[in-house]
Amino acid sequence: MLLPQGTNQSYGAKPYAEKIEHYLKENLLVKSLHPKCYENNPNFVGMAQALGLNFKAHKSFDKADIDERQALIQGVCEAIWGGVGKQP
C-alpha cells in the first residue's frame, strides 16, 4: 500500500475493517480497495477494463487478498513499463 508516512502512522495497528473507510481519502491506488471507488467513477473503471486490470474492492485483506493485490500491482507495472528494456 502506498500511503503518506503520517497517514500510515495514524492508522497504526488498527484492523483493516477500521482503516478502509479512511482509504477513500487517499490516492486512487489505495482508494481502489474500497467499494465506493467503483461508484460513479467511469474514467477509472474504463481505464482498468481497457488495460485488462482486475481492480476490485476488498472487504478483508488476508493472505489471499494480498496475493491477488500483488498480482494486480504487477499488472499495473507491466502496463506502464512493459516495453521498457525489451529488445525487438
Side-chain angles (χ1 to χ4, degrees):
M1 181 123 16
L2 299 173
L3 288 168
Q5 184 176 2
T7 301
N8 196 34
Q9 288 173 338
S10 70
Y11 297 155
K14 290 181 182 178
Y16 177 79
E18 290 181 35
K19 293 179 183 182
I20 192 166
E21 292 303 317
H22 298 284
Y23 292 166
L24 279 172
K25 300 178 249 173
E26 298 301 334
N27 63 67
L28 190 52
L29 193 57
V30 176
K31 190 183 298 192
S32 68
L33 291 165
H34 197 288
K36 288 186 179 180
C37 179
Y38 302 89
E39 297 174 9
N40 303 315
N41 201 346
N43 290 336
F44 171 64
V45 172
M47 175 274 310
Q49 289 175 345
L51 294 174
L53 298 170
N54 188 27
F55 275 92
K56 71 174 204 175
H58 289 269
K59 292 180 182 178
S60 63
F61 214 61
D62 58 20
K63 173 77 167 106
D65 295 294
I66 292 169
D67 291 343
E68 187 175 341
R69 189 71 175 186
Q70 181 177 349
L72 171 67
I73 300 304
Q74 181 175 345
V76 169
C77 292
E78 289 172 0
I80 295 170
W81 297 292
V84 175
K86 290 187 177 181
Q87 297 296 320

